[in-house]
């Protein structure tokens, strides 16, 4: 949800080592935007001159779903990592009006470690997470969480199901934020979708870059013979 693009170095290196796949992280603007303007922002920054695969992590799942429903030229597939196409915690939706009371800028490190990294937290990962979150104003994080809680399940599900591009879901076996039911829903909605179950927390790409890169490289190799990049 930080949207900074600062947390993918290990995964990028692992992917290049396996398949020499070039990657491009699209950083979101540090302003409070809902999913619709973020989708427009992302579309404007996707590659225009080559085939590519979109990898949408966590908060970005609904953006990936929208791209799959109406794919831009060159998009060949979608990878979702510890993500969702509906509110992953629907019971919390009625509390979205109370988000103004959440002290995003003062959340203790222990709480973040437990939610995002446990039981795979290391000092290096904790420091990288803290540095990335420090780049995002609390009111922006608050708006992004509100956007997640306000996803209308029927609309999001129908939009995602309209797409026909191949899908890979990377599921963290120890993900404490996104329940397994979200992966199950995606597998139901996307015919032929593949699942890679990885021993990792919610921050899967950061804590388990090598098995994640293995799964992504194998998925891309199974697509058409066209050269692709994620």
């Amino acid at each position: 949800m930080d949207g900074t693009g600062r947390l993918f170095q290990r995964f990028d290196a692992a992917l290049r080592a396996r398949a020499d796949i070039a990657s491009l992280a699209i950083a979101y603007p540090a302003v409070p935007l809902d999913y619709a303007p973020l989708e427009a922002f992302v579309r404007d920054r996707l590659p225009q001159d080559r085939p590519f695969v979109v990898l949408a992590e966590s908060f970005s799942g609904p953006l990936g779903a929208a791209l799959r429903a109406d794919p831009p030229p060159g998009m060949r597939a979608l990878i979702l990592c510890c993500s969702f196409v509906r509110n992953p915690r629907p019971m919390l939706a009625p509390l979205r009006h109370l988000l103004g009371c959440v002290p995003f800028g003062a959340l203790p490190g222990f709480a973040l470690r437990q939610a995002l990294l446990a039981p795979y937290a290391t000092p290096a990962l904790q420091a990288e997470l803290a540095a990335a979150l420090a780049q995002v104003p609390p009111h922006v994080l608050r708006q992004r969480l509100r956007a997640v809680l306000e996803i209308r399940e029927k609309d999001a599900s129908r939009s995602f199901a309209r797409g026909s591009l191949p899908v890979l879901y990377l599921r963290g076996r120890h993900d404490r934020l996104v329940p397994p039911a979200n992966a199950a829903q995606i597998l139901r909605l996307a015919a032929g979708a593949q699942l890679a179950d990885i021993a990792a927390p919610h921050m899967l790409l950061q804590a388990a870059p090598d098995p994640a890169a293995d799964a992504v490289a194998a998925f891309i190799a199974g697509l058409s013979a066209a050269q692709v990049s994620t």
Side-chain angles (χ1 to χ4, degrees):
M1 198 166 69
D2 66 287
T4 63
R6 295 168 56 105
L7 296 171
F8 302 113
Q9 293 90 339
R10 291 187 179 85
F11 172 71
D12 289 346
L15 196 56
R16 285 196 303 272
R18 283 155 178 78
D20 193 26
I21 297 173
S23 61
L24 169 67
I26 298 177
Y28 300 155
V31 294
L33 298 176
D34 292 328
Y35 277 118
L38 280 175
E39 179 191 342
F41 180 88
V42 169
R43 284 183 181 273
D44 286 344
R45 286 156 179 79
L46 291 171
Q48 302 291 319
D49 58 350
R50 62 190 186 277
F52 61 91
V53 172
V54 170
L55 192 161
E57 180 196 39
S58 189
F59 167 83
S60 299
L63 299 177
L67 292 172
R68 181 176 187 262
D70 182 17
M75 183 173 173
R76 295 292 181 263
L78 172 66
I79 301 171
L80 295 170
C81 179
C82 295
S83 195
F84 46 86
V85 297
R86 65 174 186 182
N87 175 1
R89 298 285 183 178
M91 293 184 65
L92 297 180
L95 303 180
R96 62 187 182 278
H97 301 299
L98 302 178
L99 287 174
C101 302
V102 179
F104 280 92
L107 289 175
F110 173 79
L112 291 174
R113 288 196 301 273
Q114 290 301 307
L116 301 175
L117 288 169
Y120 297 87
T122 65
L125 286 175
Q126 294 171 43
E128 291 170 12
L129 173 61
L133 290 174
Q135 303 298 311
V136 189
H139 71 283
V140 174
L141 294 173
R142 191 175 292 114
Q143 176 58 33
R144 290 176 184 168
L145 181 54
R146 181 178 290 110
V148 171
L149 296 179
E150 290 178 347
I151 295 172
R152 296 171 61 180
E153 180 173 351
K154 288 185 178 179
D155 291 348
S157 299
R158 289 171 181 167
S159 174
F160 181 71
R162 284 201 306 269
S164 60
L165 295 181
V167 174
L168 169 67
Y169 190 97
L170 304 177
R171 180 171 65 189
R173 205 172 298 155
H174 305 286
D175 189 344
R176 298 183 178 184
L177 284 187
V178 178
N182 291 272
Q185 182 199 36
I186 287 164
L187 295 178
R188 288 195 305 270
L189 293 173
Q194 301 178 35
L195 173 69
D197 196 37
I198 296 173
H202 183 70
M203 293 183 64
L204 184 154
L205 300 178
Q206 293 74 30
D210 290 318
D214 286 338
V216 169
F219 175 69
I220 291 177
L223 299 175
S224 67
Q227 183 70 28
V228 295
S229 59
T230 88

